[in-house]
Amino acid sequence: LLAARCLLLSACCLLFSAPRLLPPASCLLLLLPSGSLLVFNQTKVIPARIFLNKPSGARIEFLCLEPLNSNGDYQSAMQAGPGCRWKCMVGNARRWKGSTLARTEGTPAGPVTLQVSKAGERNGSFDVLFQWEPGSLNFSEILELFGKMPLP
């Protein structure tokens, strides 16, 4: 945010001079009416979409919604290892009969294998167990390696 610049175009600038670059705080002061309430959103998007293929070739998507074995605390869930449970939406769920799916990715430190199993089902979502090797990695590192950013 500090490096960002706000481009302020006034009718005068458009007609007689080049646009002026102002720091973000200056822009806010000029653009917001007096007495305005400004709320900052500090959420972080994680690469929570994981794709795995069945041996038949069917592609199954797991969208991690919330951790189940850390009392909903995302920060401690990200540090979990070498396994954790998440509430997930599952794309192509009718083709996933609950068998364990696995995927291996190569890294400079060696191969990393992720296994995904169905631990339960409730109200249209699934309890999914993620397990991986090597166990020295945490779930945040697993998501960085296997996950994709969810589309808005």
Side-chain angles (χ1 to χ4, degrees):
L1 184 64
L2 294 176
R5 295 290 185 250
C6 180
L7 183 61
L8 177 63
L9 297 173
S10 66
C12 182
C13 288
L14 286 173
L15 293 174
F16 301 109
S17 66
R20 296 182 298 157
L21 288 175
L22 300 173
S26 300
C27 288
L28 291 176
L29 292 174
L30 291 171
L31 298 174
L32 292 176
S34 177
S36 294
L37 173 66
L38 186 61
V39 179
F40 291 94
N41 181 350
Q42 295 183 359
T43 58
K44 181 180 177 189
V45 178
I46 59 172
R49 295 174 70 200
I50 299 173
F51 295 94
L52 290 102
N53 291 325
K54 290 179 55 175
S56 66
R59 187 176 191 192
I60 311 296
E61 175 187 356
F62 300 90
L63 177 60
C64 298
L65 300 175
E66 64 182 90
L68 293 175
N69 54 346
S70 61
N71 296 325
D73 178 28
Y74 286 86
Q75 192 166 7
S76 53
M78 290 300 176
Q79 299 307 313
C84 59
R85 285 181 50 224
W86 279 70
K87 176 182 177 182
C88 294
M89 290 176 58
V90 178
N92 210 7
R94 69 180 187 281
R95 294 198 181 263
W96 186 43
K97 305 300 181 202
S99 59
T100 298
L101 301 176
R103 182 173 140 200
T104 300
E105 291 288 337
T107 70
V112 177
T113 301
L114 173 64
Q115 293 185 333
V116 180
S117 307
K118 187 188 298 185
E121 190 174 346
R122 59 177 140 167
N123 301 330
S125 65
F126 293 83
D127 293 353
V128 176
L129 175 63
F130 295 96
Q131 296 176 299
W132 56 88
E133 285 290 330
S136 58
L137 299 175
N138 61 37
F139 193 57
S140 178
E141 294 167 314
I142 293 299
L143 287 177
E144 287 296 322
L145 185 58
F146 292 94
K148 302 274 187 223
M149 286 293 179
L151 298 174

